[in-house]
């Protein structure tokens, strides 16, 4: 049943929840949550105040009423035989069923549609976000008004009555933007902490953690640390290069953040991508986006990760229309992936020397614009009669997809 249902999850589960769904990353909701909280925290002026509400469901997985669950599945369109099978599963002692908040999401969306619960927009062109789901936790965003609070209360009462679930008020928190008086700063616990994948960790902390790992590895004798026969830097060298293979946390941190940069570079229609684009690079491509003075720590961390990404990021030539010859990385030769030839025509695009009909290159154009060393590399680029669009790839992976492991190994190799 689980395998058959898996292919339908992306259509059944609200796009505001990313856990449990193949192809979605819970990191996206963490990223979106921090960006929204960052914007709320910076809202010092204006008459409109906003609030973020973190909800914790008491025993979220075992308080669901069967009648409610059956009505939700019927509303979605599951056949009776399937619903009977699900009932048989959850009524046994060895199986369980996780309800993902779809009905709560529907209630919030209906309230949003009626204009009663508008959500929060971090900047003028960003998506309007009313809620995010994290497994059994939820984040709600609304105007800091009595009407909005009453509407949230009404929605939650309807949801509790129908589902059998209950909000744990002791573990729930609320925070307000600075232009709202009597606010509470307690939403720091509202999101799961995937720290290394979302934030640049201070170098001092990485060294302290490394020192703890080193002390544990070499051990102690009579309460005193033993001699470290190899420095921690050498211990972090990969085994294939003569080290012990421990992870350098600072390098690993940057490699993880480069993964977030990769997802923004290749483009996406995810909520995280649309929000960050509206806030930080609305008119530019991500690869050219600049660091703004009041940017959040999440964005600063991603830009730091981008530095590592760009050392292996290049264009795979398709129709050549998206690639500028002298400004973009496209020649399969590390580390710059750019022509060595002095710039002759900055507006020249890769499409110009392409022979579209024959699936090759215009030799005359190549000889006029490139040195011999560049021509040899360009002629080695595989082309075909069918010209797809150009796309960004990770040079050090056969599939062209960025992998944290390959980037980390490459970074460590560069340090040897």
């Amino acid at each position: 049943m689980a395998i058959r249902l898996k292919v339908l999850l992306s259509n059944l589960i609200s796009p505001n929840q990313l856990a449990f769904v193949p192809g979605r990353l819970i990191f996206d909701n963490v990223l979106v949550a921090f960006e929204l909280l960052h914007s709320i925290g910076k809202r010092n002026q204006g008459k409109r105040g906003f609030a973020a509400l973190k909800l914790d469901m008491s025993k979220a997985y075992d308080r669901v009423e069967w009648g409610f669950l059956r009505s939700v599945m019927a509303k979605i369109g599951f056949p009776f035989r399937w619903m009977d099978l699900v009932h048989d599963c959850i009524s046994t002692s060895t199986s369980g069923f996780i309800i993902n908040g779809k009905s709560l999401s529907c209630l919030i969306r209906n309230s949003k549609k009626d204009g009663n619960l508008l959500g929060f927009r971090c900047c003028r062109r960003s998506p309007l976000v009313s809620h995010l789901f994290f497994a059994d936790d939820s984040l709600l965003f609304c105007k800091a008004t009595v009407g909005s609070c009453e509407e949230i209360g009404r929605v939650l009462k309807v949801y509790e009555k129908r589902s059998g679930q209950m909000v744990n008020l002791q573990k729930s928190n609320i925070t307000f933007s600075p232009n709202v008086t009597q606010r509470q700063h307690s939403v720091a616990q509202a999101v799961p902490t995937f720290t290394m994948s979302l934030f640049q960790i201070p170098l001092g902390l990485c060294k302290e953690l490394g020192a703890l790992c080193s002390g544990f590895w070499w051990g102690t004798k009579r309460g005193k640390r033993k001699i470290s026969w190899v420095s921690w830097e050498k211990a972090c060298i990969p085994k294939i290069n003569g080290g012990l293979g421990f992870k350098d946390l600072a390098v690993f941190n940057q490699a993880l953040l480069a993964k977030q940069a990769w997802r923004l570079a290749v483009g996406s229609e995810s909520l995280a991508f649309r929000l960050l684009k509206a806030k930080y690079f609305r008119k530019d491509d991500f690869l050219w986006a600049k660091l703004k003075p009041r940017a959040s720590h999440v964005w600063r961390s991603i830009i730091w990760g981008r530095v590592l990404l760009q050392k292996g990021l290049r264009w795979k030539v398709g129709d050549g229309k998206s690639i500028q010859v002298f400004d973009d990385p496209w020649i399969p030769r590390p580390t710059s992936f750019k022509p060595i030839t002095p710039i002759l025509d900055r507006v020249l695009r890769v499409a110009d020397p392409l022979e579209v009909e024959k699936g090759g290159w215009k030799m005359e154009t190549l000889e006029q614009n490139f040195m011999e060393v560049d021509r040899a590399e360009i002629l080695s680029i595989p082309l075909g009669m069918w010209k797809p669009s150009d796309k960004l790839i990770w040079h050090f992976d056969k599939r062209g997809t960025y992998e944290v492991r390959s980037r980390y190994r490459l970074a460590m190799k560069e340090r040897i």
Side-chain angles (χ1 to χ4, degrees), residues 128-369:
L128 189 65
V129 182
S130 57
H131 60 290
L132 298 170
F133 290 149
F134 303 88
D136 57 340
D137 287 334
S138 306
L139 263 178
L140 274 59
F141 299 91
C142 65
K143 288 183 178 180
T145 62
V146 174
S148 294
C149 293
E150 290 177 345
E151 181 62 17
I152 290 177
R154 184 194 68 80
V155 167
L156 292 178
K157 284 181 180 179
V158 172
Y159 178 69
E160 288 178 336
K161 184 177 180 180
R162 293 180 181 177
S163 68
Q165 290 188 296
M166 293 181 62
V167 177
N168 187 337
L169 296 179
Q170 292 183 344
K171 293 184 178 180
S172 298
N173 300 284
I174 189 170
T175 191
F176 297 95
S177 55
N179 59 344
V180 178
T181 58
Q182 297 180 350
R183 62 186 182 278
Q184 299 177 9
H185 298 280
S186 54
V187 183
Q189 302 172 358
V191 292
T193 54
F194 299 93
T195 313
M196 294 285 281
S197 296
L198 286 173
F199 301 103
Q200 180 181 359
I201 307 301
L203 185 59
L205 179 58
C206 290
K207 289 182 177 180
E208 287 182 23
L209 293 173
L212 290 173
C213 292
S214 177
F216 177 79
W217 174 253
W218 295 111
T220 59
K221 184 177 182 181
R222 295 177 182 177
K224 296 182 179 180
R225 290 182 59 181
K226 292 183 179 180
I227 298 174
S228 299
W229 295 104
V230 178
S231 68
W232 185 245
E233 288 74 17
K234 291 184 178 179
C236 290
I237 295 174
K239 292 181 180 179
I240 194 173
N241 299 116
L244 297 176
F246 288 100
K247 275 191 170 57
D248 183 304
L249 294 181
V251 176
F252 186 59
N253 182 199
Q254 193 173 18
L256 285 169
L257 289 167
K259 179 71 172 182
Q260 303 295 340
W262 160 259
R263 298 183 68 238
L264 294 177
V266 297
S268 171
E269 289 303 315
S270 68
L271 178 61
F273 176 85
R274 290 185 288 124
L275 184 143
L276 291 175
K277 183 170 181 61
K279 189 173 182 180
Y280 296 116
F281 57 104
R282 182 166 57 88
K283 297 181 179 180
D284 299 316
D285 185 89
F286 166 70
L287 295 176
W288 299 100
K290 297 181 180 179
L291 190 61
K292 297 182 179 180
R294 299 185 65 186
S296 69
H297 186 48
V298 169
W299 180 248
R300 292 176 183 275
S301 301
I302 292 175
I303 294 298
W304 181 59
R306 186 180 66 179
V307 175
L308 206 61
L309 175 70
Q310 289 175 321
K311 293 182 179 180
L313 191 69
R314 69 172 176 87
W315 285 93
K316 181 179 180 181
V317 177
D319 56 20
K321 296 179 180 179
S322 303
I323 309 171
Q324 295 183 11
V325 167
F326 293 103
D327 291 334
D328 293 327
W330 61 283
I331 294 180
R333 178 184 57 212
T335 57
S336 72
F337 303 103
K338 296 180 181 180
I340 298 175
T341 305
I343 298 176
L344 300 177
D345 183 0
R346 187 173 288 277
V347 298
L348 189 70
R349 294 189 175 271
V350 174
D352 297 326
L354 272 176
E355 195 83 59
V356 180
E357 294 79 10
K358 298 180 179 180
W361 299 93
K362 299 175 184 177
M363 292 305 301
E364 183 179 350
T365 306
L366 291 181
E367 291 174 356
Q368 290 175 351
N369 292 278

Side-chain angles (χ1 to χ4, degrees), residues 347-414:
V347 298
L348 189 70
R349 294 189 175 271
V350 174
D352 297 326
L354 272 176
E355 195 83 59
V356 180
E357 294 79 10
K358 298 180 179 180
W361 299 93
K362 299 175 184 177
M363 292 305 301
E364 183 179 350
T365 306
L366 291 181
E367 291 174 356
Q368 290 175 351
N369 292 278
F370 299 96
M371 295 167 56
E372 184 177 350
V373 65
D374 284 333
R375 290 201 299 270
E377 294 288 348
I378 293 171
L379 291 173
S380 71
I381 298 175
L383 299 173
M385 295 296 295
W386 180 67
K387 295 293 187 298
S389 299
D390 306 311
K391 71 173 185 177
L392 285 168
I393 64 170
W394 177 246
H395 177 78
F396 301 101
D397 182 79
K398 293 181 179 179
R399 298 170 301 170
T401 304
Y402 177 86
E403 294 291 341
V404 173
R405 181 182 299 179
S406 68
R407 176 62 264 194
Y408 175 78
R409 288 177 177 174
L410 184 63
M412 293 305 297
K413 187 177 179 180
E414 292 171 350

Side-chain angles (χ1 to χ4, degrees), residues 60-80:
Y61 297 158
D62 59 7
R63 289 190 60 93
V64 180
E65 298 288 344
W66 165 242
F68 167 73
L69 182 56
R70 188 179 183 91
S71 65
V72 170
M73 290 192 292
K75 184 72 174 179
I76 293 174
F78 282 107
F80 292 110

Side-chain angles (χ1 to χ4, degrees), residues 49-121:
F50 290 89
L53 177 65
K54 178 256 183 182
L55 301 177
D56 180 89
M57 294 296 176
S58 298
K59 300 180 182 178
Y61 297 158
D62 59 7
R63 289 190 60 93
V64 180
E65 298 288 344
W66 165 242
F68 167 73
L69 182 56
R70 188 179 183 91
S71 65
V72 170
M73 290 192 292
K75 184 72 174 179
I76 293 174
F78 282 107
F80 292 110
R81 175 56 180 161
W82 181 274
M83 291 188 284
D84 290 338
L85 289 173
V86 172
H87 178 265
D88 292 341
C89 287
I90 65 175
S91 61
T92 66
S93 59
T94 58
S95 301
F97 193 92
I98 296 176
I99 184 118
N100 65 69
K102 181 176 179 65
S103 57
L104 178 57
S105 180
C106 290
L107 287 170
I108 294 173
R109 287 203 305 270
N110 289 338
S111 180
K112 183 179 175 181
K113 185 177 179 181
D114 295 336
N116 299 323
L117 197 61
L118 298 181
F120 176 67
R121 196 190 302 274

